[in-house]
Amino acid sequence: GRQILKNAGFAGFVCGYNAFTITDDKLARGIADAPVLRITPSRVISGTFDPGGRGWIGLTVAWLVLLALLVLLVAG
């Protein structure tokens, strides 16, 4: 429970819980009736910008073109 609360970030503080200072007993009582939603992906489809994807190529080319245009504009 504590790690989930830490990962929730600001949401934990909004609910009145500080994951770094709350005691285990208070945390257990506070989240005893909290709903838990478990998400299980049925299949994983890798995207362009996932590790091993080729999305970085297009971005790199775009930045290089932009840089070249800026250099030409300043030098020009």
Side-chain angles (χ1 to χ4, degrees):
R2 183 175 305 275
Q3 190 60 46
I4 294 171
L5 192 58
K6 285 180 181 179
N7 291 343
F10 186 67
F13 290 102
V14 169
C15 294
Y17 302 110
N18 182 344
F20 302 97
T21 61
I22 193 169
T23 64
D24 289 338
D25 285 340
K26 282 186 181 179
L27 180 60
R29 283 192 308 256
I31 64 172
D33 61 343
V36 176
L37 178 65
R38 183 177 304 235
I39 300 172
T40 305
S42 59
R43 65 181 186 161
V44 178
I45 302 171
S46 60
T48 306
F49 293 97
D50 286 339
R54 293 196 168 99
W56 64 273
I57 297 171
L59 286 176
T60 303
V61 169
W63 279 110
L64 290 174
V65 168
L66 179 64
L67 182 62
L69 289 174
L70 287 173
V71 168
L72 290 175
L73 183 66
V74 170

